[in-house]
Amino acid sequence: MTIGRVLIPAERLQARVAELARQIDAESAGHDLVLVGVLRGAFIFLSDLLRALATPASVDFISVSSYGAGTQTSGEVRIVHDVKAPLAGRDVIVVEDIVDSGHTLHALLHHLQAHRPRTLRSCALLSKPSRRVLPMEATWTGFEIPDEFVVGYGLDYAERHRGLPYVATLRPEAPHEA
Ligand code: IMP
Ligand code: MG
């Protein structure tokens, strides 16, 4: 698979991240924010969001079992690496690359709730509403996109394309490219 068409150019990503940061700032006065990034797809989004926020925030990461090399999710979500930061009484925002079936976000919120945060919210760069299996919506969503597999800005296909500054679709390679 290779890059198809650019779905969200870099400038639109940056503008939307700034808007999300303004919204989070407006709804986080006096909060003790902890951004919990979901590895690995959210690491670029998280780093841009953190720098766009005016509210001070600490950062931690969590890792869950996911797709492997394919493009299908299952209902089984396993925590592979848990957060290290104490979350009790704090204001946690789960930062996700994309909400697809909703299984991952559902499992993460359930898991993090057990850490007894004061507030637990979520921010997803992308959402594919047409793919939902569970009725999950992040507190803040950057872009709703159609049911197409996308890469770039942290998102991968088989660990490739995370470094693209834009979000793009994939297409099968033409025979002469393979
Ligand atoms: P869900 O559990 O089905 O909501 O899937 C969420 C996870 O699937 C995301 O955190 C991504 O890691 C992965 N994912 C879903 N759709 C895409 C995509 O289009 N490109 C890359 N990763 C995706
Ligand atoms: Mg992910």
Side-chain angles (χ1 to χ4, degrees):
M1 300 288 264
T2 185
I3 302 305
R5 64 177 205 290
V6 175
L7 202 62
I8 312 173
E11 314 79 66
R12 276 187 71 207
L13 287 170
Q14 295 307 322
R16 186 70 183 126
V17 169
E19 284 177 3
L20 290 169
R22 293 293 77 80
Q23 289 177 16
I24 294 171
D25 281 333
E27 295 171 50
S28 303
H31 283 206
D32 177 14
L33 282 189
V34 188
L35 305 185
V36 174
V38 185
L39 292 172
R40 293 181 287 268
F43 80 107
I44 291 180
F45 174 45
L46 183 143
S47 69
D48 282 346
L49 186 65
L50 177 68
R51 287 176 289 181
L53 282 172
T55 313
S58 56
V59 170
D60 203 347
F61 292 96
I62 195 164
S63 176
V64 296
S65 63
S66 59
Y67 286 164
T71 62
Q72 286 301 307
T73 194
S74 79
E76 259 180 69
V77 179
R78 222 163 27 89
I79 308 291
V80 174
H81 168 93
D82 204 354
V83 287
K84 294 275 195 299
L87 302 181
R90 305 180 74 191
D91 299 288
V92 172
I93 300 177
V94 179
V95 180
E96 253 286 35
D97 52 0
I98 184 166
V99 179
D100 188 32
S101 70
H103 279 125
T104 305
L105 184 60
H106 180 264
L108 280 170
L109 293 177
H110 180 79
H111 172 79
L112 291 170
Q113 196 62 62
H115 287 258
R116 297 278 166 246
R118 193 181 75 91
T119 60
L120 180 57
R121 298 176 294 175
S122 53
C123 183
L125 177 72
L126 306 173
S127 171
K128 289 182 199 168
S130 64
R131 297 259 305 173
R132 271 320 176 276
V133 174
L134 298 177
M136 299 299 300
E137 224 46 73
T139 313
W140 304 279
T141 299
F143 300 89
E144 294 195 343
I145 63 170
D147 179 10
E148 281 188 87
F149 200 82
V150 294
V151 295
Y153 198 66
L155 290 93
D156 74 304
Y157 176 73
E159 290 306 321
R160 293 180 61 201
H161 310 305
R162 291 194 198 274
L164 296 173
Y166 48 81
V167 170
T169 62
L170 284 177
R171 65 172 174 84
E173 272 158 83
H176 71 272
E177 296 173 324

Coordinates of all heavy atoms in Angstrom, one line a residue, residues 38 41 96-97, ligand 2:
V38 N -2.3 7.9 23.8 CA -2.4 6.5 23.5 C -1.4 6.1 22.4 O -1.5 6.6 21.3 CB -3.9 6.1 23.0 CG1 -4.0 4.6 22.8 CG2 -4.9 6.6 24.0
G41 N -0.1 5.9 18.0 CA -0.7 6.8 17.0 C -0.9 8.2 17.4 O -0.9 9.1 16.6
E96 N -6.3 10.5 21.8 CA -6.3 9.4 20.8 C -6.1 9.9 19.4 O -6.5 11.1 19.1 CB -7.7 8.8 20.9 CG -7.7 7.4 21.6 CD -7.1 6.3 20.7 OE1 -6.1 6.5 20.0 OE2 -7.6 5.2 20.8
D97 N -5.6 9.1 18.6 CA -5.4 9.5 17.2 C -6.8 9.4 16.5 O -7.2 10.3 15.8 CB -4.4 8.6 16.5 CG -4.6 7.1 16.6 OD1 -5.6 6.7 17.3 OD2 -3.8 6.3 16.1
Ligands
MG2 MG -4.4 4.2 18.4

